[in-house]
Amino acid sequence: MSFVHALHPTAGASGADGHVFAFAQDRQLARLDSDGTIHLPTRRDLAAWIEGRNEPLHVGHLDGRSCWLTDAVEPTTEPPAGWSWVETRALLQTAAADDSQAIYCARHLLHWRAQHRFCGRCGTATVEATDERAIVCPSCNARFFPSASPAVIVAVTRGDTLLLAHNTHWRSSMFSLLAGFLDPGETLEQAVAREVREEVGIEIGEIRYVTSQPWPFPNSLMAGFRAMHISGEIQVDGKEIAEAAWFTRDAMPEIPRRGSVARELIDGWLREGRSES
């Protein structure tokens, strides 16, 4: 069964067997089997651990069972017996599509709640609405809904090569595609061309949309594109991008792990080479 976003649990359903999402920064409470199978705790599993905390937020339904989100905890919080803090990105690498969507939703809602504890208009402490997914100010009636920050990521090719870059914030061996957030008033395609121009100084064309992915670190929606080099030589900005180069399929650097839209775009380009050989 697919994941379904839902404000309230199904009428009459027991919540004890519902999945629980608990986060400590970029780690999530879970158990991983040796074969990569992911197990999420239930409310029954965490009954003692949850006791005394705020009532978990209902997120939706996964595999016919409710999903709940607890408040974020400190990174040093000891996990309950039998469970561990697992890096969320590692879970997304092996999770089924429905599990991933549930994780994306829970993390996005966690960020949304944290950002709107107080009204951005008058400063009053907020409450959560019961009729829709919204946070409400009881003083001025302002409503704050979950929102995504749109971003673009692009696989730029030149002949049989792919443009990959090393961001200054990554470990030294990691290369990936160019990406960035939209500026006000931009189209997605304009943002793609601008980001490439700003970061590596080249012009691109034949920009086409490929796929999208929610990326709740903390609340992005990534739109993935392909494009072709038109003119210019690589000149990195030296601020965000430290190094960039054209790579062939048989001489690739370390690239992002599976589960990300960057890896999906790169793998798509790699498959094209195999189909042509």
Side-chain angles (χ1 to χ4, degrees), residues 166-230:
H166 171 66
N167 191 290
T168 55
H169 300 293
W170 299 339
R171 59 181 180 273
S172 59
S173 59
M174 173 64 72
F175 281 72
S176 187
L177 305 177
L178 297 178
F181 290 97
L182 267 69
D183 280 346
E186 277 188 323
T187 66
L188 294 170
E189 291 80 4
Q190 288 170 338
V192 169
R194 175 185 53 79
E195 284 291 341
V196 173
R197 185 183 307 116
E198 290 177 351
E199 294 184 351
V200 296
I202 67 172
E203 297 298 326
I204 59 173
E206 299 189 35
I207 300 169
R208 63 178 178 87
Y209 171 80
V210 178
T211 188
S212 65
Q213 178 187 41
W215 195 245
F217 296 96
N219 67 330
S220 298
L221 174 63
M222 301 292 295
F225 288 82
R226 288 284 297 267
M228 294 183 63
H229 171 267
I230 296 299

Side-chain angles (χ1 to χ4, degrees), residues 29 46 59 103 122 138 195 231 250 276:
L29 201 63
L46 302 185
V59 175
I103 294 171
C122 71
E195 284 291 341
S231 64
D250 58 357
E276 293 169 1

